[in-house]
Amino acid sequence: MPDLTGDPNQHPPTDSLTGSCLCGSITVTINDSELFTKPRGHLCHCSNCRKVAGSYVSSNLLIEAEKVDIQDRDGTLKTYEDRATGSGNPVFRSFCSVDGNPVKSETGAYPGKVILKMGMMPRIPQPEMEGFGLHRHAWQGKHEGITMYEVKWAGPDRKPME
Ligand SMILES: [Zn+2]
């Protein structure tokens, strides 16, 4: 049974990180020796990520699928095929069908990888990048030390913001 406390200080950084959805059916474990040794993951301000996160930003981690173990105790993991994407490529968004907890996204743009929704983790690594910076709300505080991009945070056509 994972510890449900939201205090990151109760979860010292290690090579393994486990989180669960609200009802406890789905458990996600990341095994990666560099999880907390450098900034990892990205924040996304795109409208689809915001809807899924239920918030002004989504906290995501793109990682090799082989480093991730997902247990679905009660068979509650469901996947929504999101075709309303800017690129037109579908994004497969998985969530717990009991409590609505976002779990992961998968897209053909990143074969062999998953994008984990980090809100379910008791400790979130410091993000490396911020995507869709043009869609960011002005009232939000700036995250120092995180590189913000106008739209995409990966690929050759990404544009850093001043
Ligand atoms: Zn659940």
PDB file of all heavy atoms in Angstrom, residues 21-26 76 96 98-99 101, ligand 1:
ATOM      1  N   CYS A  21      -3.338   5.833  -7.979  1.00  0.00           N
ATOM      2  CA  CYS A  21      -4.508   6.671  -8.222  1.00  0.00           C
ATOM      3  C   CYS A  21      -5.283   6.822  -6.915  1.00  0.00           C
ATOM      4  O   CYS A  21      -4.962   6.184  -5.907  1.00  0.00           O
ATOM      5  CB  CYS A  21      -5.381   6.066  -9.318  1.00  0.00           C
ATOM      6  SG  CYS A  21      -6.168   4.514  -8.878  1.00  0.00           S
ATOM      7  N   LEU A  22      -6.289   7.661  -6.950  1.00  0.00           N
ATOM      8  CA  LEU A  22      -7.011   7.996  -5.723  1.00  0.00           C
ATOM      9  C   LEU A  22      -7.675   6.775  -5.079  1.00  0.00           C
ATOM     10  O   LEU A  22      -7.689   6.632  -3.863  1.00  0.00           O
ATOM     11  CB  LEU A  22      -8.055   9.071  -6.060  1.00  0.00           C
ATOM     12  CG  LEU A  22      -8.607   9.921  -4.934  1.00  0.00           C
ATOM     13  CD1 LEU A  22      -7.503  10.547  -4.094  1.00  0.00           C
ATOM     14  CD2 LEU A  22      -9.493  11.012  -5.524  1.00  0.00           C
ATOM     15  N   CYS A  23      -8.237   5.886  -5.865  1.00  0.00           N
ATOM     16  CA  CYS A  23      -8.937   4.724  -5.300  1.00  0.00           C
ATOM     17  C   CYS A  23      -7.971   3.575  -4.999  1.00  0.00           C
ATOM     18  O   CYS A  23      -8.361   2.603  -4.346  1.00  0.00           O
ATOM     19  CB  CYS A  23     -10.051   4.255  -6.236  1.00  0.00           C
ATOM     20  SG  CYS A  23      -9.523   3.280  -7.648  1.00  0.00           S
ATOM     21  N   GLY A  24      -6.737   3.670  -5.469  1.00  0.00           N
ATOM     22  CA  GLY A  24      -5.740   2.655  -5.143  1.00  0.00           C
ATOM     23  C   GLY A  24      -5.686   1.495  -6.114  1.00  0.00           C
ATOM     24  O   GLY A  24      -4.875   0.587  -5.941  1.00  0.00           O
ATOM     25  N   SER A  25      -6.523   1.500  -7.137  1.00  0.00           N
ATOM     26  CA  SER A  25      -6.534   0.381  -8.082  1.00  0.00           C
ATOM     27  C   SER A  25      -5.268   0.341  -8.926  1.00  0.00           C
ATOM     28  O   SER A  25      -4.707  -0.721  -9.168  1.00  0.00           O
ATOM     29  CB  SER A  25      -7.762   0.492  -8.998  1.00  0.00           C
ATOM     30  OG  SER A  25      -7.662  -0.415 -10.067  1.00  0.00           O
ATOM     31  N   ILE A  26      -4.824   1.528  -9.364  1.00  0.00           N
ATOM     32  CA  ILE A  26      -3.691   1.595 -10.287  1.00  0.00           C
ATOM     33  C   ILE A  26      -2.454   2.100  -9.559  1.00  0.00           C
ATOM     34  O   ILE A  26      -2.498   3.134  -8.873  1.00  0.00           O
ATOM     35  CB  ILE A  26      -4.024   2.509 -11.484  1.00  0.00           C
ATOM     36  CG1 ILE A  26      -5.184   1.900 -12.278  1.00  0.00           C
ATOM     37  CG2 ILE A  26      -2.797   2.708 -12.376  1.00  0.00           C
ATOM     38  CD1 ILE A  26      -5.854   2.850 -13.225  1.00  0.00           C
ATOM     39  N   THR A  76      -9.271  -1.183 -13.746  1.00  0.00           N
ATOM     40  CA  THR A  76      -9.981   0.087 -13.925  1.00  0.00           C
ATOM     41  C   THR A  76      -9.306   1.024 -14.923  1.00  0.00           C
ATOM     42  O   THR A  76      -9.830   2.100 -15.191  1.00  0.00           O
ATOM     43  CB  THR A  76     -10.115   0.823 -12.576  1.00  0.00           C
ATOM     44  OG1 THR A  76      -8.805   1.131 -12.082  1.00  0.00           O
ATOM     45  CG2 THR A  76     -10.854  -0.036 -11.556  1.00  0.00           C
ATOM     46  N   CYS A  96      -7.781   6.246 -14.618  1.00  0.00           N
ATOM     47  CA  CYS A  96      -8.554   5.309 -13.808  1.00  0.00           C
ATOM     48  C   CYS A  96     -10.035   5.609 -13.994  1.00  0.00           C
ATOM     49  O   CYS A  96     -10.485   6.735 -13.773  1.00  0.00           O
ATOM     50  CB  CYS A  96      -8.184   5.425 -12.333  1.00  0.00           C
ATOM     51  SG  CYS A  96      -9.208   4.345 -11.295  1.00  0.00           S
ATOM     52  N   VAL A  98     -12.502   4.640 -12.294  1.00  0.00           N
ATOM     53  CA  VAL A  98     -13.252   4.777 -11.049  1.00  0.00           C
ATOM     54  C   VAL A  98     -13.166   6.206 -10.515  1.00  0.00           C
ATOM     55  O   VAL A  98     -14.163   6.824 -10.173  1.00  0.00           O
ATOM     56  CB  VAL A  98     -12.764   3.777  -9.984  1.00  0.00           C
ATOM     57  CG1 VAL A  98     -13.323   4.113  -8.609  1.00  0.00           C
ATOM     58  CG2 VAL A  98     -13.177   2.362 -10.381  1.00  0.00           C
ATOM     59  N   ASP A  99     -11.960   6.734 -10.465  1.00  0.00           N
ATOM     60  CA  ASP A  99     -11.771   8.056  -9.853  1.00  0.00           C
ATOM     61  C   ASP A  99     -11.342   9.143 -10.830  1.00  0.00           C
ATOM     62  O   ASP A  99     -11.201  10.300 -10.455  1.00  0.00           O
ATOM     63  CB  ASP A  99     -10.760   7.963  -8.706  1.00  0.00           C
ATOM     64  CG  ASP A  99      -9.474   7.293  -9.152  1.00  0.00           C
ATOM     65  OD1 ASP A  99      -8.979   7.618 -10.249  1.00  0.00           O
ATOM     66  OD2 ASP A  99      -8.953   6.439  -8.407  1.00  0.00           O
ATOM     67  N   ASN A 101      -8.497   9.596 -12.255  1.00  0.00           N
ATOM     68  CA  ASN A 101      -7.094   9.979 -12.094  1.00  0.00           C
ATOM     69  C   ASN A 101      -6.319   9.775 -13.418  1.00  0.00           C
ATOM     70  O   ASN A 101      -6.263   8.673 -13.941  1.00  0.00           O
ATOM     71  CB  ASN A 101      -6.482   9.065 -11.025  1.00  0.00           C
ATOM     72  CG  ASN A 101      -5.340   9.691 -10.256  1.00  0.00           C
ATOM     73  OD1 ASN A 101      -5.303   9.590  -9.037  1.00  0.00           O
ATOM     74  ND2 ASN A 101      -4.424  10.335 -10.947  1.00  0.00           N
TER      75      ASN A 101
HETATM   76 ZN    ZN B   1      -8.472   4.625  -9.218  1.00  0.00          ZN
END
